């Protein structure tokens, strides 16, 4: 058939189209396989400062290096206890001093001018413990009366210790001092005595003087060696003075 011959001799019109399609495909493949441009290199990281050593102690402001820390303040309990002990010692010493000087006559006070045989009215100041606290020592006797001791360390050995013969030191309310016997035999002192210091009004019969006797105002106290002579005698007719 004529138609078939013409078809064979006709050039292939679709060929260019197929080549173009092949080029397009090749172009797409080339574009897909092309690598992207390399990214810019990152800027080099800054070198970080070395971290401070962990746990390093910070120096307080204004404090020099190497300075030693101040010691903690000591508690005040010990100081307070020592102060209290010192206070009690001072108070005890003052009380003892007042007790001693209260017995002593005032400086410059003129004593009485008694003579043997005189009878004087005296007010004697006492406490109930004076019966065992008051004492004197001397090896002498005056009108048969004597002290409780012959010497500071030896009791009287020449006779009995009858109260009417035993001399003791006494102080009056106006600071006159003397030795006397018989006071503790008086009826005014046989009953219950006041707990505080009290006074008795008595008749003092002067019998003489004892040379430089040793005096003691407390059984636990020291002997006081006197440089003057003391009157001696007998106390009688005593009456308690009510405050």
């Amino acid at each position: 058939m004529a138609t078939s011959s013409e078809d064979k001799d006709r050039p292939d019109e679709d060929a260019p189209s197929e080549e173009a399609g092949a080029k397009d495909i090749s172009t797409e493949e080339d574009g897909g396989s092309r690598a992207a441009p390399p990214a810019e290199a990152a800027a080099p990281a800054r070198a970080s400062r070395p971290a401070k050593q962990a746990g390093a102690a910070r120096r307080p402001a204004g404090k020099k290096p190497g300075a030693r820390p101040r010691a903690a303040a000591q508690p005040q309990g010990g100081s307070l206890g020592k102060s209290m002990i010192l206070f009690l010692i001072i108070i005890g010493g003052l009380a003892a001093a007042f007790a001693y000087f209260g017995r002593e006559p005032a400086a410059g006070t003129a004593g009485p001018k008694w003579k043997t045989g005189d009878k004087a009215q005296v007010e004697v100041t006492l406490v109930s413990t004076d019966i065992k606290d008051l004492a004197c020592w001397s090896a002498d006797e005056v009108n048969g009366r004597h002290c409780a001791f012959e010497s500071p360390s030896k009791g009287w050995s020449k006779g009995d210790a009858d109260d009417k013969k035993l001399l003791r030191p006494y102080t009056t309310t106006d600071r006159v001092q003397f030795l006397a016997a018989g006071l503790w035999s008086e009826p005014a002192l046989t009953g219950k005595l006041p707990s505080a210091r009290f006074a008795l009004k008595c008749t003092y019969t002067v019998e003489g003087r004892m040379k430089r006797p040793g005096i003691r105002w407390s059984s636990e106290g020291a002997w006081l060696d006197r440089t003057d002579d003391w009157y001696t005698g007998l106390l009688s007719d005593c009456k308690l003075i009510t405050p």
Side-chain angles (χ1 to χ4, degrees), residues 76-86:
Q76 299 297 323
S79 299
L80 181 60
K82 291 179 180 179
S83 299
M84 289 298 297
I85 293 173
L86 181 60

Side-chain angles (χ1 to χ4, degrees), residues 54-124:
R58 294 184 179 180
R59 186 173 71 247
K63 191 170 184 180
K64 296 181 179 180
R68 295 182 179 179
R70 293 183 179 180
Q74 296 295 327
Q76 299 297 323
S79 299
L80 181 60
K82 291 179 180 179
S83 299
M84 289 298 297
I85 293 173
L86 181 60
F87 174 76
L88 293 176
I89 291 174
I90 292 174
I91 293 299
L94 289 175
F98 287 144
Y100 169 72
F101 288 110
R103 301 272 190 176
E104 293 297 304
T109 302
K113 302 298 181 182
W114 292 331
K115 301 184 299 294
T116 300
D118 285 351
K119 293 182 180 291
Q121 296 298 309
V122 294
E123 293 184 2
V124 181

Side-chain angles (χ1 to χ4, degrees), residues 7-242:
D7 292 336
K8 290 179 182 179
D9 295 335
R10 186 182 297 170
D12 193 358
E13 294 176 356
D14 296 334
S17 299
E18 292 175 0
E19 291 177 1
K23 289 180 180 181
D24 293 337
I25 294 171
S26 175
T27 302
E28 290 175 1
E29 289 176 356
D30 292 340
S33 61
R34 187 178 299 169
E40 294 182 358
R46 294 182 180 179
S48 60
R49 294 182 181 179
K52 292 184 179 180
Q53 185 177 357
R58 294 184 179 180
R59 186 173 71 247
K63 191 170 184 180
K64 296 181 179 180
R68 295 182 179 179
R70 293 183 179 180
Q74 296 295 327
Q76 299 297 323
S79 299
L80 181 60
K82 291 179 180 179
S83 299
M84 289 298 297
I85 293 173
L86 181 60
F87 174 76
L88 293 176
I89 291 174
I90 292 174
I91 293 299
L94 289 175
F98 287 144
Y100 169 72
F101 288 110
R103 301 272 190 176
E104 293 297 304
T109 302
K113 302 298 181 182
W114 292 331
K115 301 184 299 294
T116 300
D118 285 351
K119 293 182 180 291
Q121 296 298 309
V122 294
E123 293 184 2
V124 181
T125 176
L126 297 169
V127 292
S128 59
T129 56
D130 281 345
I131 189 172
K132 62 182 181 61
D133 284 338
L134 305 182
C136 64
W137 76 263
S138 175
D140 299 334
E141 289 182 298
V142 178
N143 198 31
R145 309 187 201 280
H146 57 82
C147 292
F149 293 84
E150 296 179 13
S151 70
S153 58
K154 182 181 179 181
W156 187 261
S157 62
K158 303 174 185 178
D160 57 18
D162 181 16
D163 180 67
K164 290 188 178 296
K165 294 183 179 180
L166 187 62
L167 297 172
R168 291 185 175 95
Y170 295 104
T171 303
T172 66
T173 54
D174 54 355
R175 301 291 185 87
V176 175
Q177 293 180 329
F178 53 83
L179 298 175
L183 177 64
W184 297 96
S185 300
E186 286 293 299
L189 294 178
T190 56
K192 184 177 180 180
L193 300 178
S195 58
R197 182 168 289 277
F198 60 97
L200 290 171
K201 187 173 183 179
C202 306
T203 299
Y204 181 52
T205 303
V206 181
E207 297 178 339
R209 282 177 174 262
M210 181 170 284
K211 294 183 178 180
R212 298 183 295 278
I215 303 298
R216 189 173 70 185
W217 300 108
S218 171
S219 60
E220 298 178 356
W223 289 106
L224 304 175
D225 294 331
R226 304 306 301 251
T227 59
D228 54 340
D229 298 343
W230 279 40
Y231 288 106
T232 63
L234 180 69
L235 287 169
S236 60
D237 303 325
C238 295
K239 294 179 176 59
L240 183 65
I241 300 175
T242 57

